[in-house]
Structures are given as C-alpha cells and as structure tokens.
Amino acid sequence: MKPSQSEFVPVRGLRYHCRCWGEERAPKLFMLHGWMDVSASFQFLVDALRRDWRVIAPDWRGFGLTDRAKGDSYWYPDYLADLDRLLAHFHPDSPAALIGHSMGGNVAAIYAGVRPGRVARFVNLEGFGLAGVGAEEAPGRYARWLDELRDKPPSFRDYESFDALADRLCGKNPRLRRERALFLARHWGVAKSDGRVELASDPAHKLVNPVLYRIEEAEACWRKVTAPVLWVAGAETEIPKWMKLTPEILAARKSCFGNLTERVIADAGHMIHHDQPERLAAVIEEFLG
C-alpha cells in the first residue's frame, strides 16, 4: 500500500484531520468521502493510480480523526464551508480537482456551482442527489427532529473486535475482499477501553435533518458548474432504487451539468472505490488527462 501521512488543520473551530498521499509537489487531487465513511476509504483507489499525485482526503467533521461538531446536530452547509477553508489552506492559488463519493460527491457538486472558479475538474462517484421532498413534509420533519433531540442520545452498536467489524463490512458488501475489509475496519473503528470496537463517527449523525432536501436548489447550483464533470456509477448500485430515482429523474439531474461525461463501472455497487479501484482509477486518470 502507498504510505499516507496525517495532517491536522484548524477549520472553523475544529481540528480537521486530512490524510495525504504522495509528494507535496505533485499535482493535487482532493478526495471527499461519503456519509459514515472516513478518508482512509480511498486507500485502494490511491494505490491503483498510475500517475504521481498529491492526494488530500479530509475526514469530514464528526468522522474519523476530525473533531466532532460542537452542537448537537450536523448541518449540510457546514460541509461546504469546511471544504472552502480546506481548499484555501491546501490549494489557494488555482482551481482544484475534486473527487467526491456519495455525500462527498453531493457536497462537491454544490460547491462547484457556488464557487465555480475554485474547481477545475470534478469526479462525482455516486453522488446522485437525494430524493426530492415536498414542503408539506416540513412540520413532521421538524417535530421528529425535536423529538429525537429530547430522547436518549443516539448511539451506534459496537463490536467485539476489528475482525467482527470486518465481518459486518463483508456482509454488507459481498464484493469487498476480506483483506480490504480488515484494513477498513481498523480505520472505521476505534478500540474502547474495554477492548470492544466502536465506529469512529459521532452518533449525532443519526439524527434526522430538520431541513428538507430541496432538489430545485441543488439543481440551480449544478447549473452554475463550469468545470468538466465525470459522473460515475456502479453497474450494480442500489442507491437510485433505494431513493426512488428513476432513469428519467437521473437524466434530468445529469442534464444540469453543462459539460458531463458518464461512465458505468461493471461489477461494482455503491462503494465503487472498494469494489473496482483499478477500473475506477483508469477512468479517473483518463478524465483528468
């Protein structure tokens, strides 16, 4: 495996952890992980890259080794602001190349429209956007959020060992190799004082978001994206079905991007960078030129 180093950066009152691979003078790639994931998740993709890159992958707030939020909830716009500060720190003088998976892809897609001059190229890995929600659902959503804040604080289950966590990862993704699952388990999990293993994530992420997802706002941002976009999906992904995103809905969302290239990776599900890192790396490097 290619070695990585940890760099900690002050970002908006939090100590942000960024995992970095490659020589500092090499061209930079920023990799942004998804919900309930960590930066080390990109290790297999980084290993498969053939060119020399300086890859910088942050742990989002409340994940991995980055500080947890100081409030009791997480807000989507904070990810945009965190990304803005991270780019200002690592890549202040020119547009950056962003690679985002799932939630990270959704964050980067909006950011690329809000700050089009800061993004040179954007690779969107399964960041399809969320299911649209009608305004009539707002009262119930706010009520649910208030109820969850009042109830017992959320928690994640723990595991007897890293091997047990790896078993769970393999169970959720039959394409994940055992050795990769063991590597991921030691970064997704952290040992407790009693020897059991808990997830390296703030359980507050489980709270429902009281702010409805407004697809019209997301699409308005996507239409402002000027960078070339590579839209990548796994051939066996279940995410569109789970979120009720029909082919017509996905086509409409893709049409928002003015310069879009689409690729589908065979024998891969939502976690493309785990299932087929070599095929994905080849597609990305072809797109980056």
Side-chain angles (χ1 to χ4, degrees), residues 31-43:
M31 296 191 179
L32 311 173
H33 70 75
W35 190 76
M36 290 307 301
D37 205 347
V38 293
S39 57
S41 183
F42 290 112
Q43 179 70 55

Side-chain angles (χ1 to χ4, degrees), residues 223-273:
R223 293 189 186 99
K224 294 292 185 180
V225 175
T226 57
V229 175
L230 176 63
W231 178 290
V232 186
E236 299 177 27
T237 182
E238 295 289 329
I239 298 300
K241 179 180 178 181
W242 177 64
M243 291 196 297
K244 299 180 180 179
L245 302 179
T246 64
E248 292 75 19
I249 290 175
L250 287 173
R253 295 185 178 190
K254 295 173 194 175
S255 70
C256 295
F257 298 95
N259 186 356
L260 183 138
T261 302
E262 184 177 2
R263 293 288 184 269
V264 176
I265 305 296
D267 194 25
H270 182 58
M271 305 301 282
I272 311 174
H273 51 312

